[in-house]
CSV table of all heavy atoms in Angstrom, one decimal:
chain,number,residue,atom,x,y,z
O,1237,LYS,N,80.5,135.1,167.3
O,1237,LYS,CA,81.1,133.8,167.6
O,1237,LYS,C,80.5,132.7,166.7
O,1237,LYS,O,79.5,132.1,167.0
O,1237,LYS,CB,80.9,133.5,169.1
O,1237,LYS,CG,81.6,132.2,169.5
O,1237,LYS,CD,81.4,131.9,171.0
O,1237,LYS,CE,82.1,130.6,171.4
O,1237,LYS,NZ,81.9,130.2,172.8
O,1238,ILE,N,81.1,132.5,165.6
O,1238,ILE,CA,80.6,131.7,164.6
O,1238,ILE,C,80.6,130.2,164.9
O,1238,ILE,O,81.4,129.8,165.7
O,1238,ILE,CB,81.3,131.9,163.2
O,1238,ILE,CG1,82.8,131.5,163.4
O,1238,ILE,CG2,81.1,133.3,162.7
O,1238,ILE,CD1,83.5,131.2,162.1
O,1239,ARG,N,79.7,129.5,164.3
O,1239,ARG,CA,79.7,128.0,164.4
O,1239,ARG,C,80.0,127.5,163.0
O,1239,ARG,O,79.3,127.7,162.1
O,1239,ARG,CB,78.3,127.5,164.8
O,1239,ARG,CG,77.8,128.1,166.2
O,1239,ARG,CD,76.3,127.9,166.4
O,1239,ARG,NE,75.6,128.7,165.4
O,1239,ARG,CZ,74.2,128.6,165.2
O,1239,ARG,NH1,73.5,127.8,165.9
O,1239,ARG,NH2,73.7,129.3,164.2
O,1240,ALA,N,81.2,126.9,162.9
O,1240,ALA,CA,81.8,126.5,161.6
O,1240,ALA,C,81.8,125.0,161.4
O,1240,ALA,O,82.0,124.3,162.4
O,1240,ALA,CB,83.2,127.0,161.5
O,1241,ALA,N,81.5,124.6,160.2
O,1241,ALA,CA,81.5,123.2,159.8
O,1241,ALA,C,82.3,123.0,158.6
O,1241,ALA,O,82.3,123.9,157.7
O,1241,ALA,CB,80.1,122.7,159.7
O,1242,LEU,N,82.9,121.9,158.4
O,1242,LEU,CA,83.7,121.5,157.3
O,1242,LEU,C,83.1,120.3,156.6
O,1242,LEU,O,82.9,119.3,157.3
O,1242,LEU,CB,85.2,121.3,157.7
O,1242,LEU,CG,86.1,120.6,156.6
O,1242,LEU,CD1,86.3,121.6,155.5
O,1242,LEU,CD2,87.4,120.1,157.3
O,1243,LEU,N,82.8,120.3,155.3
O,1243,LEU,CA,82.3,119.1,154.6
O,1243,LEU,C,83.5,118.3,154.2
O,1243,LEU,O,84.4,118.8,153.5
O,1243,LEU,CB,81.5,119.6,153.4
O,1243,LEU,CG,80.8,118.5,152.7
O,1243,LEU,CD1,79.7,117.9,153.5
O,1243,LEU,CD2,80.2,119.0,151.4
O,1244,THR,N,83.5,117.0,154.6
O,1244,THR,CA,84.6,116.1,154.2
O,1244,THR,C,84.0,114.9,153.6
O,1244,THR,O,82.8,114.7,153.6
O,1244,THR,CB,85.5,115.8,155.4
O,1244,THR,OG1,84.7,115.0,156.4
O,1244,THR,CG2,86.1,117.0,156.1
O,1245,GLY,N,84.8,113.9,153.3
O,1245,GLY,CA,84.4,112.7,152.6
O,1245,GLY,C,84.3,112.9,151.1
O,1245,GLY,O,84.3,114.0,150.6
O,1246,SER,N,84.2,111.8,150.4
O,1246,SER,CA,84.1,111.8,149.0
O,1246,SER,C,82.9,112.7,148.6
O,1246,SER,O,81.8,112.6,149.1
O,1246,SER,CB,83.9,110.4,148.4
O,1246,SER,OG,83.9,110.4,147.0
O,1247,PRO,N,83.1,113.7,147.6
O,1247,PRO,CA,84.3,113.8,146.7
O,1247,PRO,C,85.3,114.9,147.1
O,1247,PRO,O,86.0,115.4,146.3
O,1247,PRO,CB,83.6,114.3,145.4
O,1247,PRO,CG,82.4,115.1,145.9
O,1247,PRO,CD,82.0,114.5,147.2
O,1248,ALA,N,85.3,115.3,148.4
O,1248,ALA,CA,86.3,116.3,148.9
O,1248,ALA,C,87.7,115.8,148.8
O,1248,ALA,O,87.9,114.6,148.9
O,1248,ALA,CB,85.9,116.7,150.3
O,1249,SER,N,88.6,116.7,148.6
O,1249,SER,CA,90.0,116.3,148.6
O,1249,SER,C,90.5,116.1,150.1
O,1249,SER,O,90.2,116.9,151.0
O,1249,SER,CB,90.9,117.5,148.0
O,1249,SER,OG,92.2,117.5,148.5
O,1250,THR,N,91.1,115.0,150.3
O,1250,THR,CA,91.6,114.7,151.7
O,1250,THR,C,92.6,115.8,152.1
O,1250,THR,O,92.6,116.3,153.2
O,1250,THR,CB,92.2,113.3,151.8
O,1250,THR,OG1,93.3,113.2,150.8
O,1250,THR,CG2,91.2,112.2,151.6
O,1251,LEU,N,93.5,116.1,151.2
O,1251,LEU,CA,94.6,117.1,151.5
O,1251,LEU,C,94.0,118.5,151.9
O,1251,LEU,O,94.3,119.1,152.9
O,1251,LEU,CB,95.5,117.3,150.3
O,1251,LEU,CG,96.3,116.0,150.0
O,1251,LEU,CD1,97.1,116.3,148.7
O,1251,LEU,CD2,97.3,115.6,151.1
O,1252,SER,N,93.0,118.9,151.1
O,1252,SER,CA,92.4,120.2,151.3
O,1252,SER,C,91.6,120.2,152.6
O,1252,SER,O,91.6,121.1,153.4
O,1252,SER,CB,91.5,120.6,150.2
O,1252,SER,OG,90.9,121.9,150.4
O,1253,SER,N,90.9,119.1,152.9
O,1253,SER,CA,90.1,118.9,154.1
O,1253,SER,C,91.0,119.0,155.3
O,1253,SER,O,90.7,119.6,156.3
O,1253,SER,CB,89.4,117.5,154.1
O,1253,SER,OG,88.5,117.4,153.0
O,1254,GLY,N,92.2,118.3,155.2
O,1254,GLY,CA,93.1,118.3,156.3
O,1254,GLY,C,93.7,119.7,156.5
O,1254,GLY,O,94.0,120.1,157.7
O,1255,GLU,N,93.9,120.5,155.5
O,1255,GLU,CA,94.5,121.8,155.6
O,1255,GLU,C,93.5,122.7,156.4
O,1255,GLU,O,94.0,123.5,157.3
O,1255,GLU,CB,94.7,122.4,154.2
O,1255,GLU,CG,95.9,121.8,153.5
O,1255,GLU,CD,95.8,122.0,152.0
O,1255,GLU,OE1,94.9,122.7,151.5
O,1255,GLU,OE2,96.7,121.5,151.3
O,1256,VAL,N,92.2,122.6,156.2
O,1256,VAL,CA,91.2,123.4,156.9
O,1256,VAL,C,91.2,122.9,158.4
O,1256,VAL,O,91.1,123.7,159.3
O,1256,VAL,CB,89.8,123.3,156.3
O,1256,VAL,CG1,88.8,124.1,157.1
O,1256,VAL,CG2,89.9,123.9,154.8
O,1257,TRP,N,91.1,121.6,158.6
O,1257,TRP,CA,91.0,121.0,159.9
O,1257,TRP,C,92.3,121.4,160.7
O,1257,TRP,O,92.1,121.9,161.9
O,1257,TRP,CB,91.0,119.5,159.8
O,1257,TRP,CG,90.8,118.7,161.0
O,1257,TRP,CD1,90.4,119.2,162.2
O,1257,TRP,CD2,91.1,117.3,161.2
O,1257,TRP,NE1,90.3,118.2,163.2
O,1257,TRP,CE2,90.8,117.0,162.6
O,1257,TRP,CE3,91.5,116.3,160.4
O,1257,TRP,CZ2,90.9,115.7,163.1
O,1257,TRP,CZ3,91.7,115.0,160.9
O,1257,TRP,CH2,91.4,114.7,162.2
O,1258,HIS,N,93.4,121.3,160.2
O,1258,HIS,CA,94.7,121.7,160.8
O,1258,HIS,C,94.7,123.2,161.1
O,1258,HIS,O,95.1,123.6,162.2
O,1258,HIS,CB,95.9,121.3,160.0
O,1258,HIS,CG,97.2,121.5,160.6
O,1258,HIS,ND1,97.9,122.7,160.5
O,1258,HIS,CD2,97.9,120.7,161.4
O,1258,HIS,CE1,99.0,122.6,161.1
O,1258,HIS,NE2,99.1,121.4,161.7
O,1259,PHE,N,94.2,124.0,160.2
O,1259,PHE,CA,94.1,125.4,160.4
O,1259,PHE,C,93.3,125.8,161.6
O,1259,PHE,O,93.8,126.6,162.5
O,1259,PHE,CB,93.5,126.1,159.2
O,1259,PHE,CG,93.3,127.6,159.3
O,1259,PHE,CD1,94.3,128.5,159.3
O,1259,PHE,CD2,92.0,128.1,159.6
O,1259,PHE,CE1,94.1,129.9,159.4
O,1259,PHE,CE2,91.8,129.4,159.8
O,1259,PHE,CZ,92.8,130.3,159.7
O,1260,PHE,N,92.2,125.2,161.8
O,1260,PHE,CA,91.3,125.5,162.9
O,1260,PHE,C,91.9,125.0,164.2
O,1260,PHE,O,92.0,125.8,165.2
O,1260,PHE,CB,89.9,124.9,162.7
O,1260,PHE,CG,88.9,125.7,162.0
O,1260,PHE,CD1,88.9,125.8,160.6
O,1260,PHE,CD2,88.0,126.5,162.7
O,1260,PHE,CE1,88.0,126.5,159.9
O,1260,PHE,CE2,87.1,127.3,162.0
O,1260,PHE,CZ,87.1,127.3,160.6
O,1261,GLU,N,92.4,123.8,164.3
O,1261,GLU,CA,92.8,123.2,165.5
O,1261,GLU,C,94.2,123.6,165.9
O,1261,GLU,O,94.5,123.8,167.1
O,1261,GLU,CB,92.7,121.6,165.4
O,1261,GLU,CG,91.3,121.2,165.5
O,1261,GLU,CD,91.2,119.7,165.6
O,1261,GLU,OE1,92.2,119.0,165.7
O,1261,GLU,OE2,90.0,119.2,165.7
O,1262,GLN,N,95.2,123.6,165.0
O,1262,GLN,CA,96.6,123.8,165.4
O,1262,GLN,C,97.1,125.2,165.1
O,1262,GLN,O,98.1,125.5,165.6
O,1262,GLN,CB,97.4,122.8,164.5
O,1262,GLN,CG,97.2,121.3,164.8
O,1262,GLN,CD,97.5,121.0,166.3
O,1262,GLN,OE1,98.5,121.4,166.8
O,1262,GLN,NE2,96.7,120.1,166.9
O,1263,GLN,N,96.3,126.0,164.4
O,1263,GLN,CA,96.8,127.3,164.1
O,1263,GLN,C,95.9,128.4,164.6
O,1263,GLN,O,96.4,129.3,165.3
O,1263,GLN,CB,97.0,127.5,162.5
O,1263,GLN,CG,97.9,126.5,161.9
O,1263,GLN,CD,97.9,126.6,160.4
O,1263,GLN,OE1,98.1,127.6,159.8
O,1263,GLN,NE2,97.6,125.5,159.8
O,1264,LEU,N,94.6,128.3,164.4
O,1264,LEU,CA,93.7,129.3,164.9
O,1264,LEU,C,93.2,129.1,166.3
O,1264,LEU,O,93.0,130.0,167.1
O,1264,LEU,CB,92.5,129.4,163.9
O,1264,LEU,CG,91.4,130.5,164.2
O,1264,LEU,CD1,92.0,131.9,164.1
O,1264,LEU,CD2,90.2,130.3,163.3
O,1265,GLY,N,93.1,127.8,166.7
O,1265,GLY,CA,92.6,127.5,168.0
O,1265,GLY,C,91.1,127.8,168.2
O,1265,GLY,O,90.7,128.4,169.2
O,1266,TYR,N,90.3,127.3,167.2
O,1266,TYR,CA,88.9,127.6,167.2
O,1266,TYR,C,88.2,126.3,166.9
O,1266,TYR,O,88.6,125.6,166.0
O,1266,TYR,CB,88.6,128.7,166.2
O,1266,TYR,CG,87.2,129.3,166.4
O,1266,TYR,CD1,87.0,130.3,167.4
O,1266,TYR,CD2,86.1,128.9,165.7
O,1266,TYR,CE1,85.8,130.9,167.6
O,1266,TYR,CE2,84.9,129.5,165.8
O,1266,TYR,CZ,84.7,130.5,166.8
O,1266,TYR,OH,83.5,131.0,167.0
O,1267,PRO,N,87.0,126.1,167.5
O,1267,PRO,CA,86.3,124.8,167.3
O,1267,PRO,C,85.8,124.7,165.8
O,1267,PRO,O,85.3,125.7,165.3
O,1267,PRO,CB,85.2,124.8,168.3
O,1267,PRO,CG,85.0,126.2,168.7
O,1267,PRO,CD,86.3,126.9,168.5
O,1268,LEU,N,85.8,123.5,165.3
O,1268,LEU,CA,85.3,123.2,164.0
O,1268,LEU,C,84.6,121.8,164.0
O,1268,LEU,O,85.1,120.9,164.6
O,1268,LEU,CB,86.4,123.1,163.0
O,1268,LEU,CG,86.1,122.6,161.6
O,1268,LEU,CD1,85.4,123.7,160.8
O,1268,LEU,CD2,87.4,122.2,160.8
O,1269,THR,N,83.4,121.8,163.5
O,1269,THR,CA,82.7,120.5,163.3
O,1269,THR,C,83.0,119.9,162.0
O,1269,THR,O,82.8,120.6,160.9
O,1269,THR,CB,81.1,120.7,163.5
O,1269,THR,OG1,80.9,121.3,164.8
O,1269,THR,CG2,80.4,119.4,163.3
O,1270,VAL,N,83.5,118.7,162.0
O,1270,VAL,CA,83.8,118.0,160.7
O,1270,VAL,C,82.6,117.1,160.3
O,1270,VAL,O,82.3,116.2,161.1
O,1270,VAL,CB,85.1,117.2,160.9
O,1270,VAL,CG1,85.4,116.4,159.6
O,1270,VAL,CG2,86.3,118.1,161.2
O,1271,LEU,N,82.0,117.4,159.2
O,1271,LEU,CA,80.9,116.6,158.7
O,1271,LEU,C,81.3,115.7,157.6
O,1271,LEU,O,82.3,116.0,156.9
O,1271,LEU,CB,79.8,117.6,158.2
O,1271,LEU,CG,79.3,118.7,159.1
O,1271,LEU,CD1,78.2,119.6,158.4
O,1271,LEU,CD2,78.6,118.1,160.3
O,1272,ASP,N,80.6,114.6,157.4
O,1272,ASP,CA,81.0,113.7,156.3
O,1272,ASP,C,79.8,113.7,155.3
O,1272,ASP,O,78.7,113.7,155.7
O,1272,ASP,CB,81.3,112.3,156.8
O,1272,ASP,CG,82.0,111.5,155.8
O,1272,ASP,OD1,81.3,111.0,154.9
O,1272,ASP,OD2,83.2,111.3,155.9
O,1273,THR,N,80.2,113.6,154.0
O,1273,THR,CA,79.1,113.5,153.0
O,1273,THR,C,78.2,112.3,153.2
O,1273,THR,O,77.1,112.3,152.7
O,1273,THR,CB,79.8,113.5,151.6
O,1273,THR,OG1,80.8,112.4,151.5
O,1273,THR,CG2,80.4,114.8,151.3
O,1274,ASP,N,78.7,111.3,153.9
O,1274,ASP,CA,77.9,110.1,154.1
O,1274,ASP,C,76.6,110.4,154.9
O,1274,ASP,O,75.5,109.7,154.7
O,1274,ASP,CB,78.6,109.0,154.9
O,1274,ASP,CG,79.6,108.3,154.0
O,1274,ASP,OD1,79.5,108.4,152.8
O,1274,ASP,OD2,80.5,107.6,154.6
O,1275,TYR,N,76.6,111.4,155.8
O,1275,TYR,CA,75.5,111.7,156.6
O,1275,TYR,C,75.1,113.2,156.6
O,1275,TYR,O,74.2,113.6,157.3
O,1275,TYR,CB,75.7,111.3,158.0
O,1275,TYR,CG,76.8,111.9,158.7
O,1275,TYR,CD1,76.7,113.2,159.3
O,1275,TYR,CD2,78.1,111.3,158.8
O,1275,TYR,CE1,77.8,113.8,160.0
O,1275,TYR,CE2,79.1,111.9,159.5
O,1275,TYR,CZ,79.0,113.1,160.0
O,1275,TYR,OH,80.0,113.7,160.7
O,1276,ALA,N,75.8,114.0,155.8
O,1276,ALA,CA,75.6,115.4,155.8
O,1276,ALA,C,74.1,115.8,155.4
O,1276,ALA,O,73.6,116.8,155.9
O,1276,ALA,CB,76.5,116.1,154.8
O,1277,ASP,N,73.4,114.9,154.6
O,1277,ASP,CA,72.1,115.2,154.3
O,1277,ASP,C,71.1,115.3,155.5
O,1277,ASP,O,70.1,115.9,155.4
O,1277,ASP,CB,71.5,114.2,153.3
O,1277,ASP,CG,72.2,114.3,151.9
O,1277,ASP,OD1,72.8,115.3,151.6
O,1277,ASP,OD2,72.1,113.3,151.1
Side-chain angles (χ1 to χ4, degrees):
K1237 185 179 180 182
I1238 60 160
R1239 300 163 296 171
L1242 168 69
L1243 187 67
T1244 65
S1246 181
S1249 158
T1250 54
L1251 296 174
S1252 181
S1253 300
E1255 288 158 3
V1256 177
W1257 184 19
H1258 186 266
F1259 172 79
F1260 272 85
E1261 287 191 359
Q1262 297 295 323
Q1263 300 171 58
L1264 183 61
Y1266 195 82
L1268 173 73
T1269 299
V1270 178
L1271 307 177
D1272 195 283
T1273 52
D1274 283 347
Y1275 61 83
D1277 290 343

